[in-house]
Amino acid sequence: MLALIIGQLTAIADEARVSVPTVNRAVQKLKKRNLIIRYCNCNWVINPLMVANGNRQKQKVLERRYTGVQAEIEARGNATG
């Protein structure tokens, strides 16, 4: 399963004990580096290359799923754009 971060920025900020602008800046930096992508409203998917350890086969499976999520997001964007 892909790693998801679920929650509004305010909830994440409260949990991390930082301000909402701090969380927003962090999210923007992670997006820019392709370390996370927004899957839907409050769901963020973490790039498996950032967290995968050990078995190379498992890492490949996670990479394929992540790429599939990216393609799904792009397809939704093209359909609405």
Side-chain angles (χ1 to χ4, degrees), residues 8-21:
Q8 296 179 342
L9 294 181
T10 53
I12 295 169
D14 287 344
E15 183 69 26
R17 296 187 174 133
V18 297
S19 69
V20 173

Side-chain angles (χ1 to χ4, degrees), residues 1-6 30 34-39 43-52 62-63 65-66 69:
M1 171 132 192
L2 291 174
L4 290 176
I5 300 172
I6 301 172
L30 291 169
N34 196 33
L35 296 175
I36 62 171
I37 55 174
R38 188 178 200 156
Y39 182 60
N43 297 322
W44 295 91
V45 180
I46 298 171
N47 187 331
L49 295 176
M50 187 172 136
V51 295
L62 289 173
E63 287 177 41
R65 288 183 184 168
Y66 184 78
V69 168

